Amino acid sequence: MKLVQLFMTRSLPPQQLLQLEDEELSSLIKPAAHYNRKTKNLKKMCHQLIERHNGEVPGTRDELLALTGVGRKCTDILMHFTFREPTIAVDIHVHRVVNRLGITHTTSREDTADAINEITPFKFKHHAHEWIIQHGMKICVARKPKCSDCSLTDLCDYYQTEVV
Ligand code: SF4
């Protein structure tokens, strides 16, 4: 997320980022997993941004997905927050919650993103990511969901089949 934020805020243009030593860049993103690999990807992506897009972050899905290290979730986050195209970005929390509820029946986050974006009314797409992710981090946690604290038990496939 930190990488995305750097670009979202445009506080660190690619030309400047390329001037950082690998160690310095790694330390900036270190809370992220695989930070050494991500450092290399980030530098490759900066070269691509300069060569293909004049150093600007492109505003289409295809152009974003063509950049090194940019996947579906990152693209959805950028489209949503930077380019104001309401989209539900699916991370591990969103994937878990919507599948437990039975809103989707998917095994990959990409399929979950396709399915949930297809069925969610436009007006709810602005905030759905935050609502679902918060529910997944605080109540519907991975190992032991706190179903006794959840207001969605009546609607939840997991609760009806695994808990009751
Ligand atoms: S009832 Fe339990 S499994 Fe279902 S959404 Fe709530 S916390 Fe998650």
Side-chain angles (χ1 to χ4, degrees), residues 7 41 44-50 52-53 56-71 74-75 78:
F7 284 106
N41 282 346
K44 268 191 212 165
M45 181 174 67
C46 285
H47 283 295
Q48 293 165 348
L49 287 173
I50 293 165
R52 299 176 195 169
H53 306 290
E56 296 291 319
V57 178
T60 70
R61 289 178 171 280
D62 287 347
E63 289 169 320
L64 287 167
L65 285 166
L67 296 168
T68 298
V70 177
C74 186
T75 295
L78 281 164

Side-chain angles (χ1 to χ4, degrees), residues 101 135 139 146-156 159:
L101 283 165
H135 188 64
I139 304 290
K146 300 172 185 171
C147 299
S148 56
D149 296 331
C150 183
S151 54
L152 303 175
T153 49
D154 288 350
L155 304 169
C156 179
Y159 183 81

Side-chain angles (χ1 to χ4, degrees), residues 105-118:
H105 301 88
T106 45
T107 53
S108 75
R109 288 185 227 171
E110 289 76 16
D111 286 347
T112 303
D114 286 340
I116 197 155
N117 276 292
E118 170 101 25

Side-chain angles (χ1 to χ4, degrees), residues 115-161:
I116 197 155
N117 276 292
E118 170 101 25
I119 61 176
T120 303
F122 184 80
K123 64 179 178 180
F124 295 125
K125 285 188 180 176
H126 290 281
H127 298 294
H129 173 77
E130 292 95 324
W131 291 334
I132 302 169
I133 206 168
Q134 288 299 321
H135 188 64
M137 291 172 78
K138 292 176 180 161
I139 304 290
C140 194
V141 292
R143 287 202 176 172
K144 206 170 172 200
K146 300 172 185 171
C147 299
S148 56
D149 296 331
C150 183
S151 54
L152 303 175
T153 49
D154 288 350
L155 304 169
C156 179
D157 280 2
Y158 179 93
Y159 183 81
Q160 302 296 334
T161 56

